[in-house]
Amino acid sequence: MPYLNKRNRFISAAKQYAEANILDITSFNKHNLLDIAQSINMKGIPTWVLKDCKTDSKGVYNLTPLIAPVTV
């Protein structure tokens, strides 16, 4: 498997976590994010996830902007 940077590894793990646990990628909580981070040997939730994925609802994170493909 080719080397993936931490951001790509986290996004890939989040997709797998959502599929395995039948979760919608728009409704992760901090516990889910910490499980994902620990599954790929990160010490904690990356700050960029907390900043980029925050929603209006307290404690709910939407990972759609990270997972959706980028179009130019």
Coordinates of all heavy atoms in Angstrom, one line a residue:
M1 N 0.8 -1.2 0.0 CA 0.0 0.0 0.0 C 0.9 1.2 0.0 O 1.8 1.4 0.8 CB -0.9 0.0 1.3 CG -1.8 1.1 1.4 SD -2.9 0.8 2.8 CE -3.5 2.4 3.0
P2 N 0.6 2.2 -0.9 CA 1.5 3.3 -1.0 C 1.3 4.2 0.3 O 0.3 4.2 1.0 CB 1.0 4.1 -2.2 CG -0.4 3.6 -2.4 CD -0.4 2.2 -1.9
Y3 N 2.3 5.0 0.5 CA 2.3 5.9 1.7 C 1.2 7.0 1.5 O 1.0 7.6 0.5 CB 3.6 6.6 1.9 CG 3.6 7.7 2.9 CD1 3.6 7.4 4.3 CD2 3.4 9.0 2.6 CE1 3.5 8.3 5.2 CE2 3.4 10.0 3.5 CZ 3.4 9.7 4.9 OH 3.3 10.6 5.8
L4 N 0.3 7.1 2.5 CA -0.7 8.2 2.5 C -0.4 9.1 3.6 O 0.0 8.7 4.7 CB -2.1 7.6 2.7 CG -2.6 6.6 1.7 CD1 -3.9 6.0 2.1 CD2 -2.8 7.3 0.4
N5 N -0.5 10.4 3.4 CA -0.3 11.4 4.4 C -1.4 11.2 5.5 O -2.4 10.6 5.3 CB -0.1 12.8 3.9 CG -1.4 13.3 3.3 OD1 -2.5 12.9 3.6 ND2 -1.2 14.3 2.3
K6 N -1.2 11.9 6.6 CA -2.1 11.7 7.7 C -3.6 12.1 7.4 O -4.5 11.5 7.8 CB -1.7 12.6 8.9 CG -0.4 12.0 9.6 CD 0.0 12.9 10.8 CE 1.2 12.3 11.4 NZ 1.6 13.1 12.6
R7 N -3.7 13.2 6.6 CA -5.0 13.6 6.2 C -5.7 12.6 5.3 O -6.9 12.2 5.6 CB -4.9 14.9 5.4 CG -6.2 15.6 5.1 CD -6.0 16.9 4.3 NE -7.2 17.6 4.2 CZ -7.6 18.6 5.0 NH1 -6.8 19.0 5.9 NH2 -8.7 19.2 4.8
N8 N -5.1 12.0 4.4 CA -5.7 11.0 3.5 C -6.0 9.7 4.3 O -7.0 9.0 4.1 CB -4.8 10.6 2.3 CG -4.8 11.8 1.3 OD1 -5.6 12.6 1.3 ND2 -3.8 11.8 0.5
R9 N -5.0 9.4 5.2 CA -5.3 8.2 6.1 C -6.5 8.4 7.0 O -7.3 7.4 7.1 CB -4.1 7.9 7.0 CG -2.9 7.2 6.3 CD -1.8 6.8 7.1 NE -2.0 6.8 8.6 CZ -1.2 7.4 9.4 NH1 -0.1 8.0 9.0 NH2 -1.4 7.4 10.7
F10 N -6.7 9.6 7.5 CA -7.8 9.8 8.4 C -9.1 9.8 7.6 O -10.1 9.2 8.0 CB -7.7 11.2 9.1 CG -8.7 11.4 10.1 CD1 -8.5 11.0 11.4 CD2 -10.0 12.0 9.8 CE1 -9.5 11.2 12.4 CE2 -10.9 12.2 10.7 CZ -10.7 11.8 12.0
I11 N -9.1 10.4 6.4 CA -10.3 10.4 5.6 C -10.7 9.0 5.1 O -11.8 8.6 5.2 CB -10.1 11.3 4.3 CG1 -10.0 12.7 4.8 CG2 -11.2 11.1 3.3 CD1 -9.5 13.7 3.8
S12 N -9.7 8.2 4.8 CA -9.9 6.8 4.4 C -10.5 6.0 5.5 O -11.4 5.2 5.4 CB -8.6 6.2 3.9 OG -8.8 4.8 3.6
A13 N -9.9 6.2 6.7 CA -10.4 5.5 7.9 C -11.8 5.9 8.3 O -12.6 5.1 8.7 CB -9.5 5.7 9.1
A14 N -12.1 7.2 8.1 CA -13.5 7.7 8.4 C -14.5 7.1 7.5 O -15.6 6.7 7.9 CB -13.5 9.2 8.2
K15 N -14.2 6.9 6.2 CA -15.1 6.2 5.2 C -15.3 4.8 5.7 O -16.5 4.4 5.7 CB -14.5 6.2 3.8 CG -14.5 7.5 3.1 CD -13.9 7.3 1.8 CE -13.5 8.6 1.1 NZ -12.8 8.4 -0.2
Q16 N -14.3 4.1 6.0 CA -14.4 2.7 6.4 C -15.2 2.6 7.7 O -16.1 1.7 7.9 CB -13.1 2.0 6.6 CG -12.3 1.8 5.4 CD -10.9 1.3 5.6 OE1 -10.4 1.2 6.7 NE2 -10.2 0.9 4.5
Y17 N -15.0 3.5 8.7 CA -15.7 3.5 9.9 C -17.2 3.8 9.7 O -18.1 3.1 10.3 CB -15.2 4.6 10.8 CG -15.7 4.6 12.2 CD1 -15.1 3.8 13.2 CD2 -16.8 5.4 12.6 CE1 -15.6 3.9 14.5 CE2 -17.3 5.4 13.9 CZ -16.7 4.6 14.8 OH -17.2 4.6 16.1
A18 N -17.5 4.7 8.8 CA -18.9 5.0 8.5 C -19.6 3.8 7.9 O -20.8 3.5 8.2 CB -19.0 6.2 7.6
E19 N -18.9 3.1 7.0 CA -19.5 1.9 6.3 C -19.7 0.8 7.3 O -20.7 0.1 7.3 CB -18.7 1.5 5.1 CG -18.7 2.5 4.0 CD -17.6 2.2 2.9 OE1 -16.9 1.2 3.0 OE2 -17.5 3.0 2.0
A20 N -18.7 0.6 8.1 CA -18.7 -0.5 9.1 C -19.8 -0.4 10.1 O -20.4 -1.3 10.6 CB -17.4 -0.7 9.7
N21 N -20.0 0.9 10.6 CA -20.9 1.2 11.6 C -22.3 1.8 11.2 O -23.1 2.2 12.0 CB -20.3 2.1 12.7 CG -19.1 1.5 13.4 OD1 -19.3 0.4 14.0 ND2 -18.0 2.0 13.2
I22 N -22.5 1.7 9.9 CA -23.7 2.2 9.2 C -24.0 3.6 9.8 O -25.1 3.9 10.2 CB -24.9 1.2 9.4 CG1 -24.4 -0.2 9.1 CG2 -26.1 1.7 8.6 CD1 -25.4 -1.2 9.5
L23 N -23.0 4.5 9.6 CA -23.2 5.9 10.1 C -23.3 6.8 8.8 O -22.7 6.5 7.8 CB -22.0 6.4 10.9 CG -21.9 5.9 12.3 CD1 -20.6 6.4 12.9 CD2 -23.1 6.4 13.2
D24 N -24.0 7.9 9.0 CA -24.0 8.9 7.9 C -22.7 9.8 8.2 O -22.4 10.2 9.3 CB -25.3 9.7 8.1 CG -25.4 10.7 7.0 OD1 -24.7 10.6 5.9 OD2 -26.2 11.7 7.1
I25 N -22.1 10.2 7.1 CA -20.8 11.0 7.3 C -21.1 12.4 7.7 O -20.2 13.1 8.0 CB -20.0 11.0 6.0 CG1 -20.8 11.5 4.8 CG2 -19.4 9.6 5.7 CD1 -19.9 11.8 3.6
T26 N -22.4 12.7 7.8 CA -22.7 14.1 8.3 C -22.9 14.2 9.8 O -23.2 15.2 10.3 CB -24.0 14.6 7.6 OG1 -25.1 13.7 7.9 CG2 -23.8 14.7 6.1
S27 N -22.8 13.0 10.5 CA -23.2 13.1 11.9 C -22.2 12.3 12.8 O -22.6 11.5 13.6 CB -24.6 12.5 12.1 OG -24.6 11.1 11.6
F28 N -20.9 12.6 12.7 CA -19.9 12.1 13.6 C -19.9 12.9 14.9 O -20.1 14.1 14.9 CB -18.5 12.1 12.9 CG -18.3 11.0 11.9 CD1 -18.6 11.2 10.6 CD2 -17.8 9.8 12.3 CE1 -18.3 10.3 9.7 CE2 -17.5 8.8 11.4 CZ -17.8 9.0 10.0
N29 N -19.6 12.2 16.0 CA -19.4 12.9 17.2 C -17.9 12.8 17.6 O -17.1 12.1 16.9 CB -20.3 12.5 18.3 CG -20.2 11.0 18.7 OD1 -19.1 10.4 18.6 ND2 -21.3 10.4 19.0
K30 N -17.5 13.4 18.7 CA -16.1 13.3 19.1 C -15.6 11.9 19.4 O -14.5 11.6 19.2 CB -15.8 14.3 20.3 CG -15.6 15.7 19.9 CD -15.0 16.5 21.0 CE -14.7 17.9 20.6 NZ -14.1 18.7 21.7
H31 N -16.5 11.1 20.0 CA -16.2 9.7 20.3 C -15.8 9.0 19.0 O -14.9 8.2 18.9 CB -17.3 9.1 21.1 CG -17.0 7.7 21.4 ND1 -16.1 7.3 22.4 CD2 -17.5 6.5 20.9 CE1 -16.0 6.0 22.5 NE2 -16.9 5.5 21.6
N32 N -16.7 9.2 18.0 CA -16.4 8.5 16.7 C -15.1 9.0 16.1 O -14.3 8.1 15.6 CB -17.5 8.8 15.7 CG -18.9 8.4 16.1 OD1 -19.9 9.1 16.0 ND2 -19.0 7.2 16.6
L33 N -14.8 10.3 16.1 CA -13.6 10.8 15.6 C -12.4 10.3 16.3 O -11.3 10.0 15.7 CB -13.6 12.3 15.6 CG -14.7 13.0 14.7 CD1 -14.7 14.5 15.0 CD2 -14.5 12.7 13.3
L34 N -12.5 10.1 17.6 CA -11.4 9.6 18.4 C -11.1 8.1 18.1 O -10.0 7.7 18.0 CB -11.6 9.8 19.9 CG -10.5 9.5 20.8 CD1 -9.2 10.3 20.5 CD2 -10.9 9.7 22.3
D35 N -12.2 7.4 17.9 CA -12.1 6.0 17.5 C -11.3 5.9 16.2 O -10.4 5.0 16.0 CB -13.4 5.3 17.4 CG -14.1 5.0 18.7 OD1 -13.4 5.0 19.7 OD2 -15.3 4.7 18.7
I36 N -11.7 6.7 15.2 CA -11.0 6.7 13.9 C -9.6 7.1 14.1 O -8.7 6.4 13.5 CB -11.7 7.7 13.0 CG1 -13.1 7.2 12.7 CG2 -10.9 7.9 11.7 CD1 -14.0 8.3 12.1
A37 N -9.2 8.1 14.8 CA -7.9 8.5 15.0 C -7.0 7.4 15.6 O -5.9 7.2 15.2 CB -7.8 9.8 15.8
Q38 N -7.6 6.8 16.7 CA -6.8 5.7 17.4 C -6.7 4.5 16.5 O -5.7 3.8 16.6 CB -7.5 5.4 18.7 CG -7.4 6.5 19.7 CD -8.2 6.2 21.0 OE1 -9.1 5.4 21.0 NE2 -7.8 6.9 22.0
S39 N -7.6 4.3 15.6 CA -7.5 3.1 14.7 C -6.3 3.2 13.7 O -5.8 2.2 13.2 CB -8.8 2.9 13.9 OG -8.9 3.8 12.9
I40 N -5.9 4.5 13.5 CA -4.7 4.6 12.6 C -3.5 5.2 13.4 O -2.6 5.8 12.8 CB -5.0 5.5 11.4 CG1 -5.6 6.9 11.8 CG2 -6.0 4.9 10.4 CD1 -5.8 7.9 10.7
N41 N -3.5 4.9 14.7 CA -2.4 5.2 15.5 C -2.1 6.7 15.7 O -0.9 7.1 15.8 CB -1.1 4.5 15.1 CG -1.3 3.0 15.2 OD1 -2.0 2.5 16.1 ND2 -0.7 2.2 14.3
M42 N -3.1 7.5 15.7 CA -2.9 8.9 16.0 C -3.2 9.1 17.5 O -4.0 8.4 18.0 CB -3.9 9.8 15.2 CG -3.6 9.9 13.7 SD -4.8 11.0 12.9 CE -3.9 11.6 11.5
K43 N -2.6 10.1 18.1 CA -2.7 10.3 19.5 C -4.0 10.9 19.8 O -4.6 10.8 20.9 CB -1.6 11.1 20.0 CG -0.3 10.4 20.0 CD 0.9 11.2 20.5 CE 2.2 10.5 20.5 NZ 3.3 11.3 20.9
G44 N -4.6 11.7 18.9 CA -5.9 12.4 19.2 C -6.5 12.8 17.9 O -6.0 12.5 16.8
I45 N -7.6 13.5 18.0 CA -8.3 14.0 16.8 C -7.5 15.1 16.2 O -7.2 16.1 17.0 CB -9.7 14.5 17.2 CG1 -10.5 13.3 17.9 CG2 -10.5 14.9 16.0 CD1 -11.8 13.8 18.6
P46 N -7.2 15.1 15.0 CA -6.5 16.2 14.4 C -7.3 17.5 14.5 O -8.5 17.5 14.3 CB -6.4 15.8 12.9 CG -6.6 14.3 12.9 CD -7.5 14.0 14.0
T47 N -6.6 18.6 14.7 CA -7.3 19.9 14.9 C -8.0 20.4 13.6 O -9.0 21.0 13.7 CB -6.4 21.0 15.4 OG1 -5.3 21.1 14.5 CG2 -5.9 20.7 16.8
W48 N -7.4 20.0 12.5 CA -8.0 20.4 11.2 C -9.4 19.8 11.0 O -10.3 20.4 10.4 CB -7.1 20.2 10.0 CG -6.6 18.8 9.9 CD1 -5.4 18.3 10.4 CD2 -7.3 17.7 9.2 NE1 -5.4 16.9 10.0 CE2 -6.5 16.5 9.4 CE3 -8.5 17.6 8.6 CZ2 -6.8 15.3 8.8 CZ3 -8.8 16.3 8.1 CH2 -8.0 15.2 8.2
V49 N -9.6 18.6 11.6 CA -10.9 17.9 11.5 C -11.9 18.7 12.3 O -13.0 19.0 11.9 CB -10.8 16.5 12.0 CG1 -12.2 15.9 12.1 CG2 -10.0 15.7 11.0
L50 N -11.5 19.1 13.5 CA -12.4 19.8 14.4 C -12.8 21.2 13.8 O -13.9 21.6 14.0 CB -11.8 19.9 15.8 CG -11.5 18.6 16.5 CD1 -10.8 18.9 17.8 CD2 -12.7 17.8 16.8
K51 N -11.8 21.8 13.2 CA -12.1 23.1 12.6 C -12.9 23.1 11.3 O -13.9 23.8 11.2 CB -10.8 23.9 12.3 CG -10.0 24.3 13.5 CD -8.8 25.0 13.1 CE -7.9 25.3 14.2 NZ -6.6 25.9 13.8
D52 N -12.5 22.2 10.4 CA -13.1 22.1 9.1 C -14.5 21.5 9.1 O -15.3 21.7 8.2 CB -12.2 21.4 8.1 CG -10.9 22.1 7.9 OD1 -10.7 23.3 8.3 OD2 -10.0 21.5 7.3
C53 N -14.8 20.6 10.0 CA -16.0 19.8 10.0 C -17.0 20.2 11.0 O -18.0 19.5 11.2 CB -15.6 18.4 10.2 SG -14.5 17.8 8.9
K54 N -16.8 21.3 11.7 CA -17.7 21.7 12.8 C -19.1 22.1 12.2 O -19.1 22.7 11.1 CB -17.2 22.9 13.5 CG -17.8 23.2 14.8 CD -17.1 24.4 15.4 CE -16.9 24.1 16.9 NZ -16.2 25.2 17.6
T55 N -20.2 21.8 12.8 CA -21.5 22.1 12.4 C -22.1 23.1 13.4 O -21.6 23.3 14.5 CB -22.4 20.9 12.2 OG1 -22.6 20.2 13.5 CG2 -21.8 19.9 11.2
D56 N -23.3 23.5 13.1 CA -24.1 24.4 14.1 C -24.5 23.6 15.3 O -24.6 24.2 16.4 CB -25.3 25.0 13.4 CG -24.9 26.0 12.3 OD1 -23.8 26.5 12.3 OD2 -25.7 26.2 11.4
S57 N -24.7 22.3 15.2 CA -25.1 21.5 16.3 C -23.9 21.2 17.2 O -22.8 20.8 16.6 CB -25.7 20.2 15.9 OG -26.8 20.4 15.0
K58 N -24.0 21.4 18.5 CA -22.8 21.2 19.3 C -22.5 19.7 19.4 O -23.3 18.8 19.6 CB -23.2 21.6 20.7 CG -22.0 21.6 21.7 CD -22.3 22.2 23.0 CE -21.1 22.1 23.9 NZ -21.3 22.7 25.2
G59 N -21.2 19.4 19.2 CA -20.7 18.1 19.3 C -20.9 17.2 18.0 O -20.6 16.0 18.0
V60 N -21.4 17.8 17.0 CA -21.7 17.0 15.7 C -20.7 17.6 14.6 O -20.6 18.8 14.4 CB -23.1 17.2 15.3 CG1 -23.4 16.4 14.0 CG2 -24.1 16.6 16.3
Y61 N -20.1 16.6 13.9 CA -19.1 17.0 12.9 C -19.5 16.4 11.6 O -19.9 15.2 11.5 CB -17.7 16.5 13.3 CG -17.2 17.2 14.5 CD1 -17.5 16.7 15.8 CD2 -16.6 18.4 14.5 CE1 -17.1 17.4 16.9 CE2 -16.2 19.1 15.6 CZ -16.5 18.6 16.9 OH -16.1 19.2 18.0
N62 N -19.5 17.2 10.5 CA -19.9 16.7 9.2 C -18.6 16.6 8.3 O -17.9 17.5 8.1 CB -20.8 17.8 8.5 CG -21.2 17.4 7.2 OD1 -20.8 16.4 6.6 ND2 -22.1 18.2 6.6
L63 N -18.3 15.3 7.9 CA -17.1 15.1 7.2 C -17.3 15.1 5.7 O -16.3 14.8 4.9 CB -16.5 13.7 7.6 CG -16.1 13.5 9.1 CD1 -15.5 12.1 9.3 CD2 -15.2 14.6 9.5
T64 N -18.4 15.5 5.2 CA -18.7 15.6 3.8 C -17.7 16.4 3.0 O -17.2 16.0 2.0 CB -20.1 16.1 3.5 OG1 -21.1 15.3 4.2 CG2 -20.5 16.1 2.1
P65 N -17.3 17.6 3.5 CA -16.3 18.4 2.8 C -15.0 17.7 2.6 O -14.3 18.0 1.6 CB -16.2 19.7 3.6 CG -17.3 19.8 4.5 CD -17.8 18.4 4.7
L66 N -14.6 16.9 3.5 CA -13.4 16.2 3.4 C -13.5 15.0 2.4 O -12.5 14.7 1.7 CB -12.9 15.6 4.7 CG -12.6 16.7 5.8 CD1 -12.3 16.0 7.1 CD2 -11.6 17.6 5.4
I67 N -14.6 14.3 2.5 CA -14.8 13.0 1.7 C -15.2 13.3 0.3 O -14.8 12.6 -0.6 CB -15.7 12.1 2.5 CG1 -15.1 11.7 3.8 CG2 -16.1 10.9 1.6 CD1 -16.0 10.9 4.7
A68 N -16.0 14.4 0.1 CA -16.4 14.7 -1.3 C -15.2 14.9 -2.2 O -14.3 15.6 -1.8 CB -17.4 15.9 -1.3
P69 N -15.3 14.4 -3.4 CA -14.2 14.7 -4.4 C -14.1 16.2 -4.7 O -15.1 16.9 -4.8 CB -14.6 13.8 -5.6 CG -16.0 13.6 -5.5 CD -16.4 13.6 -4.0
V70 N -12.9 16.6 -5.0 CA -12.7 18.0 -5.3 C -12.8 18.1 -6.8 O -12.2 17.4 -7.6 CB -11.3 18.4 -4.9 CG1 -11.0 19.9 -5.3 CG2 -11.1 18.3 -3.4
T71 N -13.6 19.1 -7.3 CA -13.7 19.4 -8.7 C -13.1 20.7 -9.0 O -13.2 21.7 -8.2 CB -15.2 19.3 -9.2 OG1 -15.9 20.3 -8.4 CG2 -15.7 17.9 -9.0
V72 N -12.5 20.8 -10.2 CA -11.8 22.1 -10.5 C -12.5 22.7 -11.7 O -13.0 22.1 -12.6 CB -10.3 21.8 -10.9 CG1 -9.6 23.1 -11.3 CG2 -9.6 21.2 -9.7

